[in-house]
Amino acid sequence: MSPIQYPYLDTPAPGATLEVAPGVRWLSMPLPFQLDHINLWLIGDTIVDTGIGDERTRALWKKVFETNHSEIRRIILTHYHPDHAGNAAWLCKRFGAELWTTQAEYLTAHAVLSASAGYTTEAVLDVFRKNGLDAERSAGMAGRGNRYAELVPEFPFSYRRIIEGDRVKIGAREWRAFIGHGHAPEHLSLYCEALNVVIAGDMLLSTISTNVSVWSIDPEGDPLRLFLESIARYRELPEDVLVLPSHGKPFRGAHARVAQLEAHHQAHFRKLLDELKDDARSAGELLALLFRRPLDAHQTFFAMGEAIAHLHYLYYAGRLKRASGADGIMRYATR
């Protein structure tokens, strides 16, 4: 028997919901990316995550409200990314609801929306160029404007803060907050012991690995270490906990999935260490090693951040050395 079990074979149709645990309803909203949908959750008078802020998604929300919920009093966000936060302000205004999330996610949403504090495409590309992104691919990603603002047209100006260990009454039951790092600054997950259900957001996905990237506001960061430490905490939950991820299908087998993700990143580390035995290379030169498929501009944007994150992990672990060359590009080699 596979260590990962999927109790629900079919994703709810857009505008429909499916009860996956008593009082917990699953719905799916479309996304205009290769990752083409996001899972959202309705629990009593609370919505967890909101989809991107476009008319198509809002029309589907209205369809949901016609048949499921007429009163929403609270919006909870797992993190600030646009597929999660895009409709937060619209929903709060529509229902007079409160926004609840962690402080770092709330403040980051505003910083990215206003393109402040280094949250600009050009700032990111400057980091990528210093890590070997070639001129052609860099030019293909330049001038994108504030894509976040297109998907999150506005964001609430107040919120209720959730911190590690908080116990939040959602629906008829208590949910415990625990915080993860690496994918987002202060990513919120929620565990209900009574139901043996965890809303995992993007921290623990069923079939794909979460993007973990180095970005311009923390260009020397080690987000992959933070991420691996964070997902290990899912081993504190029961092995048979029902995991509600933001992408893919709900599943059981959290411990096995953590092990799979750890093995995935360890395989990347082995590839890098083997490749860097003889020649120093930059992150840009290593994209084809880590990503064995053609990458469009959108995918390259995230692949570069992730390649740098893997190199930083090995560098801070003392397994690689690095130096900036006369061309200003950072290159890595084994010690």
Side-chain angles (χ1 to χ4, degrees):
M1 180 180 293
S2 170
I4 310 294
Q5 300 295 317
Y6 298 93
Y8 305 97
L9 298 180
D10 297 317
T11 300
T17 70
L18 174 67
E19 188 172 64
V20 294
V24 181
R25 303 198 70 84
W26 170 26
L27 60 149
S28 175
M29 293 292 183
L31 297 175
F33 319 122
Q34 184 176 24
L35 190 65
D36 63 0
H37 79 280
I38 180 172
N39 300 323
L40 312 173
W41 314 100
L42 290 171
I43 311 171
D45 62 2
T46 297
I47 293 171
V48 181
D49 288 336
T50 70
I52 60 171
D54 65 359
E55 290 305 315
R56 180 185 181 191
T57 303
R58 292 176 181 179
L60 290 171
W61 268 121
K62 291 173 184 176
K63 183 178 179 181
V64 169
F65 297 140
E66 288 173 1
T67 56
N68 288 274
H69 287 258
S70 58
E71 292 298 328
I72 298 296
R73 301 185 184 280
R74 176 172 50 194
I75 311 300
I76 295 179
L77 299 184
T78 59
H79 60 299
Y80 80 94
H81 290 163
D83 48 336
H84 301 259
N87 287 300
W90 178 74
L91 288 165
C92 285
K93 289 179 179 179
R94 180 182 177 90
F95 292 102
E98 288 186 317
L99 174 68
W100 291 43
T101 190
T102 61
Q103 186 173 69
E105 300 304 319
Y106 176 79
L107 296 176
T108 300
H110 275 293
V112 181
L113 183 59
S114 63
S116 60
Y119 284 103
T120 66
T121 298
E122 278 308 310
V124 175
L125 289 178
D126 185 58
V127 173
F128 288 176
R129 293 182 194 106
K130 291 175 181 176
N131 280 274
L133 182 66
D134 62 84
E136 181 179 353
R137 285 186 290 190
S138 179
M141 287 184 278
R144 288 161 40 117
N146 190 339
R147 179 64 169 154
Y148 189 86
E150 295 175 17
L151 304 177
V152 187
E154 56 181 334
F155 197 70
F157 287 114
S158 65
Y159 79 115
R160 176 80 172 266
R161 184 180 182 185
I162 301 177
I163 64 174
E164 173 72 38
D166 275 356
R167 295 183 180 274
V168 181
K169 183 79 172 295
I170 308 175
R173 296 173 178 84
E174 186 177 81
W175 297 69
R176 175 171 59 85
F178 65 100
I179 308 303
H181 309 280
H183 175 66
E186 198 178 3
H187 185 295
L188 172 66
S189 294
L190 293 160
Y191 172 60
C192 179
E193 184 176 6
L195 295 175
N196 196 27
V197 170
V198 62
I199 296 174
D202 282 351
M203 290 300 293
L204 195 65
L205 303 179
S206 56
T207 58
I208 61 174
S209 59
T210 301
N211 178 263
V212 180
S213 288
V214 169
W215 299 116
S216 54
I217 60 148
D218 188 16
E220 293 298 323
D222 190 3
L224 190 48
R225 176 181 64 82
L226 299 177
F227 176 75
L228 291 172
E229 290 174 354
S230 295
I231 62 170
R233 294 190 59 196
Y234 281 86
R235 291 193 174 98
E236 300 169 10
L237 304 182
E239 167 64 18
D240 66 345
V241 65
L242 178 63
V243 181
L244 305 183
S246 291
H247 307 283
K249 295 175 181 176
F251 68 96
R252 299 188 190 274
H255 299 188
R257 184 59 184 144
V258 169
Q260 289 175 356
L261 289 168
E262 290 170 338
H264 165 81
H265 289 290
Q266 289 297 330
H268 275 4
F269 296 148
R270 288 193 295 272
K271 287 180 185 178
L272 289 168
L273 290 169
D274 185 62
E275 183 73 14
L276 297 172
K277 284 180 181 177
D278 300 317
D279 296 315
R281 308 282 293 280
S282 70
E285 294 169 316
L286 293 164
L287 286 181
L289 176 74
L290 296 176
F291 304 94
R292 299 297 182 92
R293 64 184 186 280
L295 300 172
D296 61 23
H298 177 79
Q299 293 162 343
T300 300
F301 197 78
F302 291 98
M304 270 299 296
E306 191 154 335
I308 300 168
H310 281 82
L311 292 167
H312 279 196
Y313 180 97
L314 292 170
Y315 171 72
Y316 288 120
R319 302 176 70 184
L320 290 178
K321 60 184 178 181
R322 69 181 186 180
S324 182
D327 55 5
I329 294 175
M330 186 68 71
R331 292 180 175 85
Y332 294 78
T334 55
R335 300 186 67 84

